[in-house]
Amino acid sequence: MESAIPDFTKYKETIDTNPKWQEKVEALQQIENAIKSRPDSFSTIQEAVIQFTLLVSKDYKVANINLLKASYSIARTVIQLCGAGPRACKPVIEFCVSKLHDKKIGSDLSELLSCIAERIGPNSVFDTVVCSQTLVTLRFGPSCFIWS
């Protein structure tokens, strides 16, 4: 990513060492802006960029909601502008499906899933949703899907 973003090393150092979440979010926004300004430079490294967002956000489990939003915003930008494929999108889809219920980010993640479905086709998203519901059914029984 150093070749595509001239100041990447500086941004990564800020993300890795700075204790202030605001400055980490700002560094992530700068990375996203670089992707938006030159998406062609990222078309061959889109999977690496998505893996970077996973690393920064601790597999999208970081406690700070602002860092989480900035991380999946980069993933969305890469998917929309650089054409990430199914393998690159898989961890993003799994994260989105697992957090759709969250009131703070659910609508954003729903939009992100729609974006992914438009780019790579709905089957990858649908398969993950069905798989997660199958796991819930196996764990809690079929009655977990009955609402009164």
Side-chain angles (χ1 to χ4, degrees), residues 102-116:
D102 192 305
K103 291 180 182 178
K104 293 179 184 174
I105 60 175
S107 62
D108 289 347
L109 298 181
S110 179
E111 291 174 20
L112 180 52
L113 283 174
S114 293
C115 170
I116 293 169

Side-chain angles (χ1 to χ4, degrees), residues 32-33 38 62 74 137 141:
E32 184 175 11
N33 291 339
R38 296 180 309 140
V62 67
I74 291 173
T137 303

Side-chain angles (χ1 to χ4, degrees), residues 21-135:
W21 66 264
Q22 294 94 336
E23 292 181 17
K24 291 180 180 189
V25 168
E26 185 178 325
L28 289 170
Q29 289 170 340
Q30 293 298 325
I31 291 171
E32 184 175 11
N33 291 339
I35 296 168
K36 286 179 179 177
S37 67
R38 296 180 309 140
D40 293 343
S41 301
F42 295 88
S43 61
T44 59
I45 60 168
Q46 45 12 45
E47 189 169 356
V49 175
I50 291 175
Q51 289 298 317
F52 173 74
T53 66
L54 283 163
L55 180 68
V56 167
S57 64
K58 300 175 184 167
D59 292 334
Y60 297 127
K61 295 177 184 169
V62 67
N64 186 303
I65 192 78
N66 298 298
L67 285 172
L68 181 62
K69 285 182 175 184
S71 293
Y72 69 71
S73 182
I74 291 173
R76 176 192 346 245
T77 299
V78 167
I79 292 165
Q80 285 178 327
L81 301 179
C82 305
R87 186 175 70 191
C89 292
K90 185 174 175 53
V92 180
I93 296 169
E94 290 170 351
F95 160 69
C96 290
V97 169
S98 72
K99 293 291 185 180
L100 274 174
H101 67 281
D102 192 305
K103 291 180 182 178
K104 293 179 184 174
I105 60 175
S107 62
D108 289 347
L109 298 181
S110 179
E111 291 174 20
L112 180 52
L113 283 174
S114 293
C115 170
I116 293 169
E118 287 175 13
R119 278 304 199 178
I120 65 171
N123 288 345
S124 296
V125 174
F126 183 74
D127 290 346
T128 303
V129 170
V130 169
C131 182
S132 71
Q133 288 188 349
T134 301
L135 291 175

